[in-house]
Structures are given as structure tokens and as C-alpha cells.
């Protein structure tokens, strides 16, 4: 979550361009696991099929993709059960 907040918060906050995923509230974790538009953003049963992982590898954030080591950390977090710790 800290990687996402530091890199994605500028667009994903209340009142901004992409209201589908809000990272500026204490509900961000629950939204990642349970509130995706067409599916949860995080799928611990199939981490590489997670909407979050897919978007980070293709087109998010739009001003420059995350470093490969940051994406790897997020994938590892999902593979490990996406715990809120």
C-alpha cells in the first residue's frame, strides 16, 4: 500500500480524475481486495490475474510506470495473501 499511495495517490483520491479506486482513505485496503469495478483489484488466488498487477504492468501510473522492483514487491505481497500489515 505505501508504494501505491506514494505513486498513485495524486490521481486516486476523492474528487480526482479516477474515483474508482480511492487511496486517500482508511478504506483503501478493503477497496483493493473487495471493491474493483468488474472484479477485485487484488486476486490472491491468481495474483498475476489481479487487476492491480495487470494495470501496473501496462499503463499505470500514466506519468511513468513503477520500477520493476516495486511491481515485484506488489506481486509478492499479493502472492503472500495481501495482508494488511
Amino acid at each position: 500500500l505505501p508504494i501505491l499511495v506514494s505513486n498513485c495517490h495524486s490521481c486516486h483520491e476523492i474528487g480526482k480524475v479516477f474515483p474508482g479506486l480511492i487511496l486517500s482513505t482508511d478504506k483503501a485496503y478493503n477497496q483493493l481486495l473487495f471493491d474493483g469495478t468488474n472484479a477485485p483489484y487484488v486476486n490472491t488466488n491468481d495474483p498475476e490475474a489481479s487487476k492491480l498487477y495487470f494495470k501496473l504492468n501496462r499503463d499505470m501510473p500514466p506519468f511513468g510506470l513503477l520500477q520493476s522492483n516495486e511491481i515485484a514487491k506488489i506481486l509478492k505481497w499479493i502472492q503472500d495473501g495481501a495482508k494488511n500489515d
Side-chain angles (χ1 to χ4, degrees):
L1 195 55
I3 292 171
L4 298 176
V5 170
S6 66
N7 290 281
C8 309
H9 180 265
S10 62
C11 292
H12 291 277
E13 66 178 329
I14 295 171
K16 291 292 184 166
V17 179
F18 301 102
L21 174 61
I22 305 299
L23 295 170
S24 61
T25 70
D26 59 351
K27 296 178 182 176
Y29 175 79
N30 285 336
Q31 191 176 22
L32 283 169
L33 267 65
F34 306 112
D35 292 340
T37 304
N38 297 314
Y41 291 99
V42 172
N43 180 349
T44 57
N45 294 318
D46 190 357
E48 292 185 14
S50 292
K51 186 176 182 178
L52 174 65
Y53 181 70
F54 178 83
K55 296 296 279 180
L56 291 175
N57 274 297
R58 303 299 189 287
D59 56 9
M60 288 291 151
F63 50 80
L65 298 178
L66 297 178
Q67 299 287 326
S68 59
N69 66 326
E70 293 173 311
I71 294 172
K73 284 181 186 180
I74 291 170
L75 178 60
K76 175 81 169 112
W77 172 71
I78 297 169
Q79 291 169 334
D80 290 345
K83 294 178 178 72
N84 189 12
D85 54 5

